[in-house]
Amino acid sequence: MQRVRIWQGVGGAIVATALMPALLATSAPAFQATNRGTSPRTKTAQSPRTDGVNSPLTTSSSVAQVLERHPARLGTSFVPVSRARRIQVPKPVRPNVVMPRRVTAADSFVNVSLLTPIPVPRAGVSASLFSRSRILIPAIGLDRPVYEGIAQNVINAGVAHWPGTAMPGGLGNVVLAGHRSTYQRPFHDIANVHPGDQIIFETTNGWRYVYRIDRQFVVANTAMWIKDQHAGHTVTIFTCHPIGSSRERLVTVGTLVRSEPLA
């Protein structure tokens, strides 16, 4: 009996020695938690650490806390989230700058924007005669007053300025009409001009505008586009063509090259 008990004790020791590592591994968490004064249940229920950049982050508030505590880890120009919310950057204000327009003595008579030519008047409509300028074409010896209007009685009187087109020296296209072989026939010799010849206007407010003739061409008598306005400073003169017929129009075009006060 005693021999049986001895062998049971030896067997128990052998079993205990074999099972000891497993028992230690199983009880290690509890043993470590007990040494820190915290139970295993409390350890697993704790939230992840939020006091380091490498710690798990679960909420936006923890992100802000980490960034505020460790801004240097993300660069010297970093602004913490909670502080960035309090920063108000003023919006840039565009100054209300109005560029002054260059004003000269001639501006009271010069257009500042493009106008719209008036329609051709009905037959039989007449207008009073008045003039604001004279036209001179030295190459053909022309020196005539320029009347305002394109009613038939105005054109019969001499050189007519189409209302709604640019005034001499103004922005746009100065459009003039006149007969070639009847009435005052101011443009009888207009076919004799050449590119480079001058068309000069002298206005009643004391200014001279010199245009250089660029080209001359013939169009149908229905080509009303010759009166159109455009950016620039040009003059367009049209008259009947050929002499003694109104089937076509002879058109002379020039560009403003000089403005000067009359002496």
Side-chain angles (χ1 to χ4, degrees), residues 180-181 188 218-219 239-250:
R180 193 175 179 191
S181 59
H188 181 272
V218 176
V219 297
T239 187
C240 296
H241 183 79
I243 293 178
S245 171
S246 60
R247 183 176 67 253
E248 297 174 317
R249 299 286 184 263
L250 178 63

Short mmCIF file of all heavy atoms in Angstrom, two decimals, residues 180-181 188 218-219 239-250:
data_model
loop_
_atom_site.label_atom_id
_atom_site.label_comp_id
_atom_site.label_asym_id
_atom_site.label_seq_id
_atom_site.Cartn_x
_atom_site.Cartn_y
_atom_site.Cartn_z
N ARG A 180 -22.53 113.07 -107.71
CA ARG A 180 -21.33 113.09 -108.54
C ARG A 180 -21.53 113.86 -109.84
O ARG A 180 -20.55 114.40 -110.39
CB ARG A 180 -20.91 111.64 -108.84
CG ARG A 180 -19.52 111.53 -109.41
CD ARG A 180 -19.12 110.09 -109.57
NE ARG A 180 -17.79 109.96 -110.14
CZ ARG A 180 -17.27 108.81 -110.57
NH1 ARG A 180 -17.99 107.69 -110.50
NH2 ARG A 180 -16.06 108.80 -111.07
N SER A 181 -22.77 113.91 -110.32
CA SER A 181 -22.99 114.57 -111.62
C SER A 181 -24.19 115.50 -111.63
O SER A 181 -24.47 116.12 -112.66
CB SER A 181 -23.15 113.52 -112.73
OG SER A 181 -24.24 112.66 -112.46
N HIS A 188 -17.66 114.92 -107.91
CA HIS A 188 -17.50 114.66 -109.33
C HIS A 188 -16.13 114.08 -109.66
O HIS A 188 -16.00 113.18 -110.50
CB HIS A 188 -17.73 115.95 -110.12
CG HIS A 188 -17.62 115.78 -111.59
ND1 HIS A 188 -16.41 115.89 -112.29
CD2 HIS A 188 -18.56 115.50 -112.55
CE1 HIS A 188 -16.61 115.68 -113.57
NE2 HIS A 188 -17.92 115.44 -113.77
N VAL A 218 -15.96 99.78 -105.79
CA VAL A 218 -17.32 99.96 -106.29
C VAL A 218 -18.20 98.85 -105.72
O VAL A 218 -17.80 97.67 -105.68
CB VAL A 218 -17.35 99.93 -107.84
CG1 VAL A 218 -18.78 100.00 -108.36
CG2 VAL A 218 -16.50 101.07 -108.40
N VAL A 219 -19.41 99.20 -105.28
CA VAL A 219 -20.38 98.23 -104.77
C VAL A 219 -21.74 98.50 -105.41
O VAL A 219 -21.94 99.55 -106.06
CB VAL A 219 -20.51 98.31 -103.23
CG1 VAL A 219 -19.19 97.95 -102.57
CG2 VAL A 219 -20.99 99.69 -102.80
N THR A 239 -20.71 107.80 -103.43
CA THR A 239 -21.39 108.61 -104.43
C THR A 239 -21.81 107.72 -105.59
O THR A 239 -21.47 106.51 -105.60
CB THR A 239 -20.46 109.73 -104.94
OG1 THR A 239 -21.19 110.61 -105.79
CG2 THR A 239 -19.27 109.17 -105.68
N CYS A 240 -22.57 108.25 -106.51
CA CYS A 240 -23.09 107.43 -107.61
C CYS A 240 -21.96 107.00 -108.56
O CYS A 240 -20.96 107.70 -108.72
CB CYS A 240 -24.14 108.21 -108.40
SG CYS A 240 -25.61 108.61 -107.44
N HIS A 241 -22.18 105.87 -109.21
CA HIS A 241 -21.20 105.34 -110.16
C HIS A 241 -21.94 104.46 -111.18
O HIS A 241 -22.84 103.70 -110.78
CB HIS A 241 -20.14 104.52 -109.44
CG HIS A 241 -19.07 104.00 -110.34
ND1 HIS A 241 -18.03 104.78 -110.79
CD2 HIS A 241 -18.88 102.77 -110.89
CE1 HIS A 241 -17.24 104.07 -111.56
NE2 HIS A 241 -17.74 102.83 -111.65
N PRO A 242 -21.56 104.57 -112.46
CA PRO A 242 -20.61 105.55 -113.04
C PRO A 242 -21.25 106.92 -113.12
O PRO A 242 -22.41 107.11 -112.73
CB PRO A 242 -20.34 104.96 -114.41
CG PRO A 242 -21.58 104.20 -114.75
CD PRO A 242 -22.10 103.65 -113.45
N ILE A 243 -20.50 107.89 -113.63
CA ILE A 243 -21.03 109.25 -113.74
C ILE A 243 -22.29 109.24 -114.62
O ILE A 243 -22.31 108.66 -115.71
CB ILE A 243 -19.97 110.20 -114.34
CG1 ILE A 243 -18.80 110.35 -113.35
CG2 ILE A 243 -20.57 111.55 -114.68
CD1 ILE A 243 -17.69 111.24 -113.88
N GLY A 244 -23.34 109.86 -114.11
CA GLY A 244 -24.61 109.91 -114.83
C GLY A 244 -25.52 108.74 -114.53
O GLY A 244 -26.62 108.65 -115.07
N SER A 245 -25.12 107.81 -113.64
CA SER A 245 -25.94 106.64 -113.30
C SER A 245 -25.91 106.43 -111.80
O SER A 245 -24.95 106.79 -111.11
CB SER A 245 -25.42 105.39 -114.01
OG SER A 245 -26.09 104.23 -113.54
N SER A 246 -27.00 105.84 -111.28
CA SER A 246 -27.07 105.51 -109.85
C SER A 246 -27.11 104.00 -109.64
O SER A 246 -27.52 103.52 -108.59
CB SER A 246 -28.30 106.16 -109.22
OG SER A 246 -29.49 105.68 -109.85
N ARG A 247 -26.66 103.26 -110.65
CA ARG A 247 -26.71 101.79 -110.57
C ARG A 247 -25.76 101.24 -109.49
O ARG A 247 -26.06 100.24 -108.85
CB ARG A 247 -26.36 101.21 -111.94
CG ARG A 247 -26.45 99.68 -112.00
CD ARG A 247 -26.19 99.17 -113.41
NE ARG A 247 -24.81 99.40 -113.84
CZ ARG A 247 -24.44 100.32 -114.72
NH1 ARG A 247 -25.34 101.13 -115.28
NH2 ARG A 247 -23.16 100.46 -115.08
N GLU A 248 -24.64 101.90 -109.30
CA GLU A 248 -23.64 101.44 -108.33
C GLU A 248 -23.18 102.61 -107.47
O GLU A 248 -23.61 103.76 -107.66
CB GLU A 248 -22.45 100.81 -109.07
CG GLU A 248 -22.81 99.56 -109.86
CD GLU A 248 -21.63 99.05 -110.68
OE1 GLU A 248 -20.92 99.89 -111.29
OE2 GLU A 248 -21.43 97.82 -110.72
N ARG A 249 -22.29 102.28 -106.52
CA ARG A 249 -21.75 103.29 -105.62
C ARG A 249 -20.22 103.21 -105.65
O ARG A 249 -19.63 102.13 -105.55
CB ARG A 249 -22.22 103.07 -104.18
CG ARG A 249 -23.74 103.16 -104.02
CD ARG A 249 -24.21 104.60 -104.10
NE ARG A 249 -25.65 104.71 -103.86
CZ ARG A 249 -26.57 104.78 -104.81
NH1 ARG A 249 -26.20 104.73 -106.08
NH2 ARG A 249 -27.84 104.88 -104.50
N LEU A 250 -19.57 104.37 -105.79
CA LEU A 250 -18.12 104.47 -105.67
C LEU A 250 -17.80 104.84 -104.22
O LEU A 250 -18.27 105.88 -103.72
CB LEU A 250 -17.58 105.53 -106.63
CG LEU A 250 -16.06 105.78 -106.58
CD1 LEU A 250 -15.29 104.52 -106.99
CD2 LEU A 250 -15.68 106.96 -107.47
#
